[in-house]
């Protein structure tokens, strides 16, 4: 991903949910064959043939409240499918509630260990990097703002923190983990939103698309999460051996597959991912009315936990991990003392944390408490230590 200064601009979170912005026609290369997808056949023209028609039936048939009730206690990957679901919905879950045949258990296990060892940086980058970047991905910001979840960003962020946390937990893909279930729930929520959001006159008034959350949108969000984090770890010179890089990529490949993206469009290497991100993510980043409002809500949510820092420090950290351009777009007020602290002490903090320098930076405690508090926002899933329930919406956000 080019530096944002161009490499550093960036939805944990994910913090806004997995919808993004499609790139220009022809920008998507087939990641397996290396050839460009023909117009009308690339991922920007792909939605979800399995989940979309199903969710139209579930919504139009009034089944959503029963589904939300039935699957509330469905959390672990090895949990039996919940009873009380419509038969057609159960049949769908039986087809998708499994890892792909090409999933590599050794790589997934290594990815889990990598997430454990690098959680300090991952939580911070997902939360303050990817989460805030999502507010300057115009289609994502507009879709999130005008969907039902946009009316309660604390709840929306908690659900998205759940996605990021479940992916990062030690046994995410193991039977006792929760990510496969979380991904399946997220996938059908996407399908519901595809049906509901085009019914919103407020969304239609600002959207430049007729159906949200294409496969391209999900891949753009993958780049704002996985590809962005991968590049930042390299930029910060954090020890990141090739085996860890491959495992981290593989966990994201499986995650994107579980969200319904066809395998042929999932990048097979980090080099391919970075090239794709440079074409389809970096050029489309720009502010919007909805994105500015969402960024302020998200930063306010983060400030609710005791980071032990001022809002000025938080604003400057966002500028540091994204860019001053993004900070200006979002109207983040400057705090030049905090800016100097972040830009001079953070590199020393990393060196000390990684055992690459014996000298503890003077502001070590401030930074350590900062990243620990942000990690707890993930670990608490935005609200509590229990799993945050993912529910299927039945409407959109009203005006306002």
């Amino acid at each position: 991903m080019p530096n944002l200064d161009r490499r550093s601009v960036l939805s944990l979170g994910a913090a806004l949910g997995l919808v993004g912005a499609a790139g220009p026609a022809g920008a998507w290369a087939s990641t397996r064959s290396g050839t460009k997808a023909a117009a009308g056949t690339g991922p920007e023209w792909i939605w979800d043939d399995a989940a979309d028609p199903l969710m139209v039936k579930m919504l139009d048939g009034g089944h959503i409240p029963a589904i939300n009730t039935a699957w509330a206690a469905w959390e672990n990957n090895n949990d039996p499918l919940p009873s009380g679901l419509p038969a057609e919905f159960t049949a769908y879950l039986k087809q998708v509630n499994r890892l792909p045949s090409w999933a590599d258990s050794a790589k997934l296990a290594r990815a889990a260990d990598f997430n454990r060892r690098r959680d300090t940086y991952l939580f911070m980058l997902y939360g303050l990097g990817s989460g805030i970047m999502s507010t300057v991905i115009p289609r994502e910001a507009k879709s999130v703002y005008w969907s039902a979840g946009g009316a309660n960003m604390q709840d929306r962020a908690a659900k998205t923190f759940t996605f990021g946390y479940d992916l990062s937990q030690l046994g995410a893909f193991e039977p006792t983990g929760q990510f496969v279930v979380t991904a399946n729930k997220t996938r059908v929520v996407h399908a519901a939103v595809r049906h509901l959001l085009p019914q919103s006159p407020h969304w239609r008034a600002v959207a430049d698309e007729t159906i949200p959350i294409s496969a391209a949108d999900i891949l753009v969000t993958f780049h704002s999460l996985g590809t962005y984090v991968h590049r930042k770890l390299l930029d910060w010179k954090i020890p990141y051996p090739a085996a860890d890089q491959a495992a981290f990529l593989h966990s994201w490949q499986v995650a994107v597959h579980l969200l319904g993206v066809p395998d042929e469009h999932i990048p097979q290497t980090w080099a391919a991912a970075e090239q794709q991100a440079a074409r389809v993510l970096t050029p489309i980043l720009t502010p919007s009315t909805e994105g500015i409002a969402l960024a302020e809500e998200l930063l306010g949510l983060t400030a609710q936990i005791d980071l032990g820092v001022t809002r000025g420090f938080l604003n400057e950290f966002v500028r540091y991990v994204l860019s001053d351009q993004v900070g200006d777009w979002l109207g983040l007020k400057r705090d030049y003392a905090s800016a100097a602290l972040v830009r001079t002490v953070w590199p020393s903090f990393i060196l000390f944390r990684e055992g690459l320098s014996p000298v503890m930076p003077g502001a070590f405690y401030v930074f350590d408490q900062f990243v620990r508090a942000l990690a707890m926002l993930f670990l608490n899933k935005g609200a509590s230590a229990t799993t945050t329930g993912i529910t299927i919406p039945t409407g959109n956000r009203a005006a306002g």
Side-chain angles (χ1 to χ4, degrees), residues 202-216:
H202 310 295
W203 179 77
R204 292 199 306 270
V206 297
D208 64 351
E209 56 185 340
T210 56
I211 305 173
I213 322 179
S214 67

Side-chain angles (χ1 to χ4, degrees), residues 283-318:
I284 56 89
L285 296 173
T286 195
S288 64
T289 300
E290 292 83 0
I292 292 169
L294 291 174
E296 186 60 32
E297 289 190 58
L298 286 169
L299 289 171
L301 170 64
T302 306
Q304 287 180 24
I305 61 175
D306 183 15
L307 294 175
V309 297
T310 66
R311 174 61 189 271
F313 182 94
L314 188 61
N315 287 353
E316 292 299 337
F317 210 93
V318 170

Side-chain angles (χ1 to χ4, degrees), residues 91-150:
Y92 162 79
L93 290 179
K94 286 180 178 178
Q95 293 297 314
V96 301
N97 192 43
R98 60 171 67 96
L99 293 176
S101 60
W102 46 264
D104 185 322
S105 59
K107 284 185 177 179
L108 292 177
R110 180 157 189 139
D113 184 61
F114 165 76
N115 288 328
R116 176 187 61 80
R117 288 181 280 114
R118 292 288 174 258
D119 60 0
T120 292
Y121 310 113
L122 296 178
F123 288 141
M124 188 275 294
L125 287 171
Y126 284 146
L128 293 180
S130 303
I132 303 304
M133 186 193 288
S134 66
T135 69
V136 292
I137 299 175
R139 287 186 176 178
E140 177 164 355
K142 293 172 183 179
S143 294
V144 168
Y145 187 88
W146 289 114
S147 67

Side-chain angles (χ1 to χ4, degrees), residues 62-248:
H63 299 297
I64 301 305
I67 293 173
N68 285 335
T69 298
W71 80 1
W74 183 43
E75 298 177 357
N76 293 337
N77 298 335
N78 63 353
D79 285 348
L81 293 180
S83 59
L85 297 172
E88 192 172 0
F89 195 83
T90 298
Y92 162 79
L93 290 179
K94 286 180 178 178
Q95 293 297 314
V96 301
N97 192 43
R98 60 171 67 96
L99 293 176
S101 60
W102 46 264
D104 185 322
S105 59
K107 284 185 177 179
L108 292 177
R110 180 157 189 139
D113 184 61
F114 165 76
N115 288 328
R116 176 187 61 80
R117 288 181 280 114
R118 292 288 174 258
D119 60 0
T120 292
Y121 310 113
L122 296 178
F123 288 141
M124 188 275 294
L125 287 171
Y126 284 146
L128 293 180
S130 303
I132 303 304
M133 186 193 288
S134 66
T135 69
V136 292
I137 299 175
R139 287 186 176 178
E140 177 164 355
K142 293 172 183 179
S143 294
V144 168
Y145 187 88
W146 289 114
S147 67
N152 185 344
M153 280 310 300
Q154 180 160 353
D155 178 70
R156 180 59 174 264
K159 288 179 171 61
T160 309
F161 291 148
T162 293
F163 188 94
Y165 172 68
D166 287 351
L167 176 60
S168 300
Q169 70 176 334
L170 192 57
F173 296 96
E174 296 294 326
T176 55
Q178 297 183 342
F179 185 74
V180 177
V181 170
T182 297
N184 276 308
K185 289 184 176 183
T186 302
R187 180 175 177 178
V188 297
V189 169
H190 286 172
V193 170
R194 289 189 195 99
H195 181 54
L196 292 168
L197 204 52
Q199 300 174 35
S200 165
H202 310 295
W203 179 77
R204 292 199 306 270
V206 297
D208 64 351
E209 56 185 340
T210 56
I211 305 173
I213 322 179
S214 67
D217 296 337
I218 295 173
L219 285 167
V220 164
T221 302
F222 153 67
H223 291 310
S224 74
L225 290 157
T227 307
Y228 165 75
V229 168
H230 166 74
R231 172 44 53 191
K232 294 301 288 186
L233 293 176
L234 292 175
D235 286 349
W236 287 348
K237 296 181 172 54
I238 292 168
Y240 187 27
D244 282 353
Q245 295 184 41
F248 184 52

